[in-house]
Amino acid sequence: MDLLYDTLFNGLAIGSVLVLAALGLAVVFGLMGVINMAHGELMMLGAYTTFVVQNIFKAVLPEALFPVYILVAIPLAFAVSGLVGLLLEKTVIRRLYGRPLETLLATWGVSLILQQFVRSVSSAFAIGLLLAVVGGLLVPRLTPKQWWQQRWTPLLGTGSWIVSGLIGIVVASLLGGQRVLDQPWFSARNIDVTAPVWLRGSIDVGAVNMPAARLFIIALTVVALVAVGWFLQKSVWGMRIRAVTQNRPMSDCLGIPTEKVDALTFLIGSGLAGVAGVAVTLLGSVGPNLGGNYIVDCFMVVVLGGVGKLAGTVLAALGIGVLSYIVGSGSLLLVWPAMPAGLNELITFFATTSMAKVLVFAVIVVFLQIRPAGLFPQKGRMVEA
Amino acid sequence: MRKTSLRLLGGATALATSLSLVACGGGDKASGDFDGEVKVGILHSRSGTMAISENTVAEAELMAIDEINAKGGVKIDGKKLKIVPVEEDGASDWPTFAEKAKKLIDQDQVSVVFGGWTSASRKAMLPVFEAKDHFLFYPIQYEGQECSKNIFYSGAAPNQQAEPAVDWLLKNKGKDFFLVGSDYVYPRTANTIMKEQLKASGGKVVGEDYLPLGNTEVAPIIAKIKQALPNGGVIVNTLNGDSNVAFFKQMKAAGITPANGYSIMSFSIAEEEIAAIGPEYLEGTYAAWNYFQSLDTPASKKFTADFKAKYGDKRVTNDPAEAAYMMVYLWAAAAEKANSVDDNKVREALVGVSFDAPEGKVTVQPNHHVEKLVLIGEVQKDGMFKILENKGFVKPVAWNQYVPETKGYTCDWTQNRPDAGKYKM
């Protein structure tokens, strides 16, 4: 019995990380059909936000407040990742709706840019970047109106971006001579996010040992799920999102601002990635390539669960969690100690973490052969986007 | 109008380019004191999962090069040659290491390459260096079972790190061992050796597991450790890179800590990694190295002080950095002894060369390894090690004597025989 509880708890623990990481993607990919390869990097931004919040608490606020920094980091991470996601939607993804392959490549590029950004961002770099963006946005406003009705107008738009970009580069490299401004904020190194003391211990319930960090993540996952579920089912904007998902032209006709709905959906999905980023700082390392560790698992969960269904995402994540725990920890050997030698060897062979991963992938591939649309396929009168 | 704006644009571009060139290239001092230059390659991961560790190594090499240059460079035929480093990023990707090594040898024509961290990267570069008969200096402790004419190993062989560490654990901490490692050549080979050693000296392996590099989900491993060692025991950790952070954070949360009777010995965690993981997760665990920043000798203190002065007060030195620093000096000394920077002549001169390294006086042995100081340390609250045992200098053994397949074999590059890399003693 203990073994069963142990397995259930650990499966739940692994699964809840997957649910939380995949939830944002389930919203973005499931509802909008956007393949966002930068999802992992939005998680990374959430993790870096946690780092910044932690340092501010350490440096500025009284020590007694330090234990709650992680609670402050959650909404902030949601905001940071959500806003970056919004920017991404407005600048890149909006232009690529209905073109999944281009979206995939573009967001992959964005993920690389974000990774390199946190590696090399320094004060000089940030000032240069800010100048370039502000310049690019302002120059068109400051130039005379009649310039904007000429044959060479497109050139002017691009030109102002190029020139302000170059000004940014020059300023950044000039300021870069200053040692203080040249110091990278985070650098390529991994950074240390320390969990507050109350999240470092564990609680024993019966024979099952429950680490506090895991319980916190499970609780956070439940809260996030309830919030997203409530938002989609009960709120006005949630209803609009579902309407647009089901039938975009009809929703448009009925006066639903579909562009706003798209932006909002993407903002929420990205924000949830930021929250997941806060959670994973409790478990693993925080570095520029944090996202890469999760992105494949996220897509796996969403595809296995059935695109567009939150319940499917949850069930798929928990299933993968329990399966990889059972295989990876070799618990089968404990349940049935007297199994035939051949089977015993086979199970021992798969009972390492890396082999368990192989087996889980294989099971998923076989499952998708039988049910290509995942656990909960979309039914009814879906209109193709 | 179109032409004008294009020309304006072109002008702006040229101006910007020249400005940024001035800004970037301003630091180069006049090299009038030198009679020539010698190019060396530096090839480490400056990005990706291994960057956490390899940055420090590259920086230590650059510091050694700067120091040698400040003293007048390498003196060949009475001429002073300035060492010019050519840096490449291996990007934590093993094929990239091989590709960049080729580029350094063919295109940049460097005299020697200092590089690598993971054994996987070394194994990827090995065929390149052997095919081109060039020379790689490799600064990291590794699993042994290799002795190439084209590689010089300044890190520890297993008998200078893993074996004494296991002996120490057996004597002081217990007989039941659980082995955890990353899933690539170093942990797997190191654990093979360890299993043979434990078999020979009365210990027992109660379990082992391997994580893919970069993996952060260690719940199944923790469950296995709890099943295999319910009341404490010895855990030997050969994880590399990011996974260590996840491992120690989750181990602490699950109560597998020194306070509960678990002795954890890591082979890839030095001062740098402790700072990144957080000392509060590692306090009380052990490590075996050939150098600790806390080593209390004048040479060691000077090395750390110089490193901090160059790269910032918060930085720390560690064993790989020390080995990397030392190997640049050993190369320069060998080049001066050979009176040439040609890699074949340097190779012949290298054996027997010694240097007063931060860990003490080290001498290159005939098997292209170095005689090294063996230390066992315990992680303290401040992220430094307390040295628990100093086993003195130990001569390197490349082919392991516990493993049946290599028992009785040795390596000696001063022998004039075709199988000098591996022959029966």
Side-chain angles (χ1 to χ4, degrees):
Chain A
M1 244 5 220
D2 285 346
L3 189 70
L4 178 70
Y5 291 135
D6 214 31
T7 306
L8 281 181
F9 175 75
N10 279 302
L12 186 66
I14 300 175
S16 63
V17 178
L18 290 176
V19 173
L20 200 55
L23 190 59
L25 197 72
V27 170
V28 167
F29 181 49
L31 298 182
M32 298 168 73
V34 170
I35 300 178
N36 182 14
M37 295 299 285
H39 185 76
E41 276 58 41
L42 293 167
M43 280 175 72
M44 171 199 70
L45 289 181
Y48 272 84
T49 311
T50 318
F51 174 70
V52 171
V53 172
Q54 168 202 270
N55 283 2
I56 292 173
F57 268 73
K58 249 184 209 162
V60 184
L61 296 170
E63 212 180 313
L65 281 175
F66 183 73
V68 300
Y69 86 84
I70 198 117
L71 301 177
V72 178
I74 292 170
L76 279 175
F78 186 91
V80 169
S81 297
L83 288 177
V84 172
L86 186 67
L87 188 74
L88 181 63
E89 201 270 344
K90 292 266 183 215
T91 49
V92 181
I93 291 169
R94 158 147 307 174
R95 295 155 207 273
L96 297 170
Y97 280 133
R99 291 156 67 187
L101 280 180
E102 285 89 337
T103 318
L104 188 145
L105 288 177
T107 50
W108 170 249
V110 169
S111 81
L112 295 179
I113 292 172
L114 287 175
Q115 279 182 26
Q116 198 54 44
F117 174 77
V118 297
R119 275 189 204 121
S120 48
V121 64
S122 61
S123 305
F125 185 98
I127 292 170
L129 189 70
L130 199 70
L131 268 180
V133 172
V134 170
L137 289 174
L138 273 189
V139 167
R141 312 246 152 120
L142 296 179
T143 42
K145 271 256 159 60
Q146 63 267 29
W147 286 22
W148 291 88
Q149 284 126 26
Q150 306 291 335
R151 213 158 35 86
W152 41 266
T153 295
L155 198 72
L156 186 67
T158 334
S160 62
W161 272 105
I162 292 176
V163 170
S164 57
L166 286 171
I167 292 173
I169 292 173
V170 171
V171 169
S173 54
L174 284 178
L175 289 177
Q178 241 58 28
R179 206 186 155 92
V180 192
L181 294 174
D182 195 35
Q183 288 297 313
W185 292 353
F186 308 115
S187 85
R189 243 166 259 278
N190 285 14
I191 49 174
D192 170 28
V193 179
T194 310
V197 180
W198 59 280
L199 283 175
R200 272 189 240 158
S202 59
I203 304 163
D204 284 309
V205 180
V208 185
N209 175 281
M210 302 185 171
R214 295 290 196 176
L215 289 173
F216 180 78
I217 292 176
I218 293 171
L220 186 63
T221 308
V222 171
V223 171
L225 267 175
V226 169
V228 171
W230 175 85
F231 179 79
L232 287 179
Q233 297 300 325
K234 304 281 177 193
S235 74
V236 177
W237 279 101
M239 202 153 38
R240 288 177 184 163
I241 290 176
R242 283 185 296 134
V244 172
T245 309
Q246 284 176 11
N247 195 330
R248 182 177 289 269
M250 183 60 85
S251 312
D252 208 2
C253 283
L254 293 172
I256 293 175
T258 55
E259 287 203 350
K260 264 191 199 154
V261 167
D262 290 337
L264 181 73
T265 315
F266 208 83
L267 184 143
I268 291 172
S270 308
L272 286 170
V275 174
V278 178
V280 299
T281 60
L282 297 174
L283 297 178
S285 62
V286 181
N289 39 348
L290 176 148
N293 298 335
Y294 291 93
I295 187 76
V296 175
D297 289 343
C298 289
F299 272 107
M300 194 166 75
V301 167
V302 175
V303 170
L304 180 64
V307 173
K309 290 282 178 168
L310 288 187
T313 304
V314 175
L315 207 67
L318 295 184
I320 292 174
V322 171
L323 186 64
S324 53
Y325 179 78
I326 291 178
V327 178
S329 67
S331 321
L332 283 176
L333 293 172
L334 297 176
V335 183
W336 185 17
M339 71 174 71
L343 194 58
N344 189 320
E345 264 169 38
L346 185 74
I347 288 176
T348 320
F349 176 71
F350 278 109
T352 68
T353 312
S354 45
M355 286 315 291
K357 204 153 192 171
V358 174
L359 194 71
V360 168
F361 262 99
V363 169
I364 291 172
V365 168
V366 170
F367 181 83
L368 288 177
Q369 293 294 320
I370 301 166
R371 298 194 61 164
L375 287 169
F376 291 92
Q378 290 270 26
K379 287 196 196 102
R381 294 182 297 170
M382 271 292 290
V383 174
E384 293 300 313
Chain B
M1 272 313 268
R2 180 172 232 160
K3 260 186 190 156
T4 328
S5 60
L6 269 179
R7 204 177 297 151
L8 266 176
L9 205 74
T13 317
L15 183 70
T17 319
S18 57
L19 271 177
S20 58
L21 277 179
V22 168
C24 297
D28 215 5
K29 279 192 207 102
S31 51
D33 309 342
F34 295 100
D35 308 310
E37 286 182 346
V38 49
K39 277 202 237 173
V40 299
I42 291 192
L43 177 48
H44 291 287
S45 300
R46 307 302 292 258
S47 57
T49 186
M50 293 310 300
I52 174 180
S53 302
E54 286 191 65
N55 269 322
T56 315
V57 175
E59 283 164 355
E61 285 160 11
L62 291 171
M63 178 168 111
I65 289 172
D66 281 354
E67 285 179 12
I68 295 171
N69 282 339
K71 285 180 210 145
V74 188
K75 292 162 199 82
I76 306 288
D77 272 341
K79 282 186 188 153
K80 289 184 195 168
L81 299 184
K82 183 184 179 186
I83 307 179
V84 179
V86 183
E87 278 192 79
E88 284 294 344
D89 180 5
S92 310
D93 179 55
W94 325 140
T96 307
F97 270 97
E99 191 186 302
K100 298 282 186 182
K102 255 183 225 150
K103 184 232 162 203
L104 284 170
I105 297 169
D106 292 339
Q107 196 178 321
D108 299 316
Q109 311 231 315
V110 296
S111 297
V112 66
V113 176
F114 303 110
W117 176 292
T118 62
S119 290
S121 69
R122 189 190 68 252
K123 293 276 186 202
M125 290 189 282
L126 178 68
V128 176
F129 283 92
E130 291 194 334
K132 300 193 184 285
D133 197 19
H134 209 268
F135 213 5
L136 170 71
F137 276 50
Y138 173 76
I140 308 299
Q141 44 73 323
Y142 79 118
E143 69 280 5
Q145 307 297 57
E146 188 180 295
C147 190
S148 171
K149 180 184 162 215
N150 301 86
I151 298 184
F152 166 66
Y153 311 80
S154 77
N159 75 311
Q160 296 168 309
Q161 189 199 23
E163 288 177 22
V166 169
D167 282 341
W168 182 83
L169 286 167
L170 277 171
K171 206 171 104 200
N172 299 300
K173 296 295 168 189
K175 308 253 179 235
D176 290 343
F177 281 60
F178 193 99
L179 312 177
V180 181
S182 294
D183 203 356
Y184 74 99
V185 57
Y186 164 66
R188 288 211 178 245
T189 315
N191 286 349
T192 308
I193 294 172
M194 232 178 291
K195 279 190 264 182
E196 294 293 342
Q197 185 188 355
L198 286 171
K199 214 190 279 170
S201 22
K204 200 174 126 207
V205 178
V206 293
E208 59 178 316
D209 203 341
Y210 298 94
L211 273 177
L213 265 179
N215 191 308
T216 54
E217 189 53 81
V218 293
I221 294 190
I222 288 174
K224 270 198 237 169
I225 293 176
K226 283 191 167 168
Q227 280 160 17
L229 300 169
N231 305 310
V234 179
I235 300 166
V236 176
N237 162 28
T238 42
L239 288 172
N240 268 256
D242 288 356
S243 304
N244 270 309
V245 186
F247 181 67
F248 281 102
K249 277 189 178 173
Q250 295 179 38
M251 291 268 280
K252 175 129 188 170
I256 303 182
T257 55
N260 293 344
Y262 292 93
S263 308
I264 307 166
M265 167 73 77
S266 307
F267 290 156
S268 298
I269 293 194
E271 288 84 341
E272 179 81 29
E273 289 78 18
I274 296 176
I277 297 170
E280 63 275 18
Y281 293 110
L282 288 165
E283 198 185 340
T285 69
Y286 307 104
W289 287 110
N290 308 112
Y291 173 80
F292 289 121
Q293 183 180 317
S294 54
L295 185 65
D296 197 11
T297 63
S300 158
K301 282 184 173 159
K302 182 177 178 304
F303 173 60
T304 303
D306 290 348
F307 192 81
K308 282 179 188 274
K310 194 167 168 68
Y311 296 112
D313 206 31
K314 284 191 187 146
R315 300 296 306 280
V316 289
T317 53
N318 57 18
D319 174 286
E322 191 255 1
Y325 175 81
M326 155 215 304
M327 74 182 181
V328 176
Y329 271 98
L330 287 172
W331 172 80
E336 286 184 1
K337 184 177 157 196
N339 211 14
S340 162
V341 292
D342 178 75
D343 55 285
N344 278 310
K345 293 194 176 129
V346 170
R347 180 159 36 231
E348 275 167 30
L350 186 64
V351 175
V353 164
S354 37
F355 169 63
D356 284 312
E359 71 186 66
K361 186 170 179 174
V362 295
T363 309
V364 179
Q365 303 297 310
N367 58 3
H368 280 184
H369 290 62
V370 182
E371 189 177 1
K372 290 178 81 85
L373 188 66
V374 176
L375 302 167
I376 312 274
E378 182 185 342
V379 181
Q380 304 293 299
K381 220 185 210 84
D382 59 356
M384 289 294 125
F385 285 94
K386 186 171 110 191
I387 297 171
L388 298 179
E389 192 160 320
N390 180 339
K391 292 187 181 261
F393 276 85
V394 175
K395 282 209 192 298
V397 176
W399 298 108
N400 197 274
Q401 300 304 306
Y402 282 112
V403 178
E405 288 82 26
T406 52
K407 194 173 161 69
Y409 283 92
T410 189
C411 167
D412 186 345
W413 290 109
T414 56
Q415 301 275 331
N416 189 16
R417 53 192 290 171
D419 59 349
K422 185 181 182 183
Y423 63 90
K424 204 112 188 156
M425 267 183 280

